[in-house]
Every structure is written in structure tokens, then in C-alpha cells.
Amino acid sequence: MTGEPGSGSGSANRGTGSPSNDASDPIRNSVSSRDDGTDGRTAARRNEPSSPLSAATRIRRDPSLLLPFAVAGVLLAIVDWVRRHDPLPTLSLDDSVGFTISVEFDGYPTGVPETTRSLEALVDLKLPYLAWGIGLEAVALLVVAVAGSITIARALEEGAGVADAETESHSIRRVPAYFGLVVLFSAAGRLLGSLGELGLVLGIPLLVLVFAAMVRLFAAPAFVVTGAGPVAALRRSARVTRGSGWSIAALVLAFGLAAWLLTLVPLPYAGTVLSSALVASVHAVTVAVVRERSDGSVASDG
């Protein structure tokens, strides 16, 4: 493994492995039938800056892109409150000792909850408590899946200059697949978290591998929204991010640090709501931009 998180054979690989993308992408198919690429908005999008700035530009044009994750942030805060008051063991950010800088990045757009529940907390529970614990975690992941699917779909449509009720309908149809991807990421994160302290010898190499994986899989949520299954989305993301490792690594760090900083806001549940509404929204739109540019789409950037 090389030192660069996204080292590979270069940008020539980006458009070579997905000949079925256009055929299986309902969003892009609907866009191509309605947008000839000659209006003023499309011309302006050809000059859009790099991914994070382009995401900010799209959100400024359409502030409603912030709405799904703003709602999700409120719902996640409610889940936090429920975790604090139910009888199952819960880990809280308030329990941390000292000041620790953290990169809060889960592989998919989401806010940072104030509480979490470890796998160990679900062991040896009676069936009603086990069902409750698993159900509450599933609700939290479903909230994130719905918000992510809607935001990415709308960002892709907005990038092509088309946004209508069909976008919402398609994004809702993709929620089950998106939920599957979120479950995969969450399960992997919880499994790694259950390993405990590994020391420097094992901990640092594992951290590097996890970070490299986050870089490679950055675009996976957008591929799910545009028609791929969770596993296929992971493969496509790994392929199209070759040659862009350092820029995407910077995005992962930026989003992770920004989410962590918002958790420091000294108001109950403010970190969860703000990290969802702001960081997760920009993350989702950025994923859509990376998805568009990865296959040389002319629908959004000319």
C-alpha cells in the first residue's frame, strides 16, 4: 500500500468501467430528455469551481437542499434523547475525558449523534429489549438514508437544471438500497469500534486502511441513488476515485473535522442538528458533484 490514500492508475480509468451507468440511471435519463444544455444555467454550471465550492454554489441556488438533513438532525436529536432515557446501556460524548480532536466521518452523509449504542449493549438481552434496541438503531439509520437519498437526487437534478416531483419519487424508491449501504457502513464501523485499543503497532496501520477505504468509497452513496446496488456502488466508487485520492482525502478530513467542531457547541443536541443540517447536507451535494464529474457527465458541467 502506498502513502497516497487514493493512488492509482490515474484519471484515464474514470469513465471506462461503467458503460451501463447511463442506461440504469433514471435521473440522468429524465434529464437528458428535457435539458438540451443550452440554457443560461447550464452555461454557468460549466464554469463551476471544484467540488466543495460547487456544492456550496448549488446550495446557495437551492437552499431547500438543506431541508432533508435539517429535519433528519431534529429526528436524530430525538433518538439521542430516547437513548438517554431508555434502560439500555448508552455511550455519550459527554462521558469522554479530556479534550480529544476527532474526525467524525462515517462514509455516508450524516450528522454526529450525542449518543451511541455499542454492539455489546445488545448482547444477552431479552427479546423485547433486543427488538427495541435494534429497532431504534434502524430508525436512526433510516432517517439518514431518506435524507441522503433525497438530497443527492435533488442535487443531481439541480446540477442538470431539472428538479420536479419525479426527483422526489425516484429518490424515495432508492431508499431501500441506500439504507442497505448505510447499514453496511454502520456495521463495519461498529465492528471496528468493538476491537478496542489495538496499540500503535496495529492501530496506526488499521487507521490508514480505514481512511483509504473512506476515500475510495466516497462516491458510493451517489451511485446507489442513480441505480446501483450497495455492493456495485462500492465497486464503482473505488474505480472512479482513482487519481483523485488526495483531493477526496482533503474532503473527508474537512467534513470530519467540521462535524466534530459542531459537536462542541455548548447547547443540548445542537451538535447533532447543526452537523446534520450543515455538514451532512454539503457532504451529500459534494458526493453528487463527484459522481457527475467522475463519468464526464455533460448534463451538469458541460
Side-chain angles (χ1 to χ4, degrees):
M1 177 178 175
T2 63
E4 178 178 347
S7 59
S9 57
S11 59
N13 293 327
R14 293 184 182 181
T16 59
S18 306
S20 62
N21 283 357
D22 291 339
S24 63
D25 188 339
I27 290 180
R28 296 192 182 283
N29 290 340
S30 67
V31 168
S32 61
S33 67
R34 289 175 286 179
D35 186 358
D36 61 5
T38 59
D39 63 353
R41 292 183 66 188
T42 302
R45 279 185 293 275
R46 291 180 182 138
N47 298 319
E48 280 185 341
S50 59
S51 297
L53 294 179
S54 179
T57 299
R58 294 190 187 186
I59 291 173
R60 186 171 64 250
R61 285 199 300 255
D62 184 8
S64 67
L65 288 169
L66 297 172
L67 183 59
F69 272 108
V71 174
V74 173
L75 295 177
L76 291 177
I78 293 174
V79 170
D80 273 335
W81 184 90
V82 173
R83 283 199 194 106
R84 290 181 187 274
H85 291 83
D86 74 12
L88 302 185
T90 299
L91 301 176
S92 174
L93 292 179
D94 298 336
D95 298 333
S96 58
V97 178
F99 181 81
T100 303
I101 297 176
S102 176
V103 177
E104 300 288 346
F105 190 86
D106 292 314
Y108 55 91
T110 183
V112 182
E114 291 189 359
T115 62
T116 187
R117 187 155 282 155
S118 66
L119 293 177
E120 291 81 357
L122 302 177
V123 175
D124 294 330
L125 291 178
K126 293 182 179 180
L127 183 58
Y129 291 105
L130 179 62
W132 167 260
I134 293 176
L136 187 62
E137 300 310 304
V139 167
L141 296 181
L142 182 60
V143 165
V144 170
V146 172
S149 184
I150 292 175
T151 304
I152 293 172
R154 285 185 58 84
L156 288 168
E157 289 279 18
E158 201 281 337
V162 180
D164 55 23
E166 184 178 340
T167 306
E168 305 294 337
S169 175
H170 171 75
S171 63
I172 294 300
R173 290 196 300 270
R174 296 305 302 163
V175 166
Y178 196 105
F179 179 73
L181 180 71
V182 169
V183 169
L184 282 177
F185 275 116
S186 179
R190 289 173 183 271
L191 181 61
L192 289 172
S194 68
L195 296 179
E197 297 292 336
L198 297 177
L200 293 178
V201 175
L202 295 178
I204 291 180
L206 181 61
L207 180 62
V208 171
L209 288 175
V210 170
F211 186 78
M214 293 297 99
V215 170
R216 286 289 190 222
L217 305 180
F218 184 82
F223 279 106
V224 169
V225 172
T226 54
V231 176
L234 297 177
R235 290 199 301 265
R236 292 183 183 182
S237 179
R239 181 166 57 244
V240 303
T241 52
R242 293 172 184 168
S244 302
W246 288 116
S247 59
I248 294 178
L251 290 174
V252 171
L253 285 174
F255 290 136
L257 289 172
W260 167 73
L261 285 171
L262 289 173
T263 66
L264 303 180
V265 175
L267 293 173
Y269 308 110
T272 300
V273 175
L274 292 175
S275 63
S276 298
L278 300 178
V279 178
S281 297
V282 177
H283 181 183
V285 178
T286 303
V287 165
V289 173
V290 172
R291 165 67 178 90
E292 289 172 343
R293 295 182 177 182
S294 69
D295 60 2
S297 171
V298 297
S300 63
D301 296 303

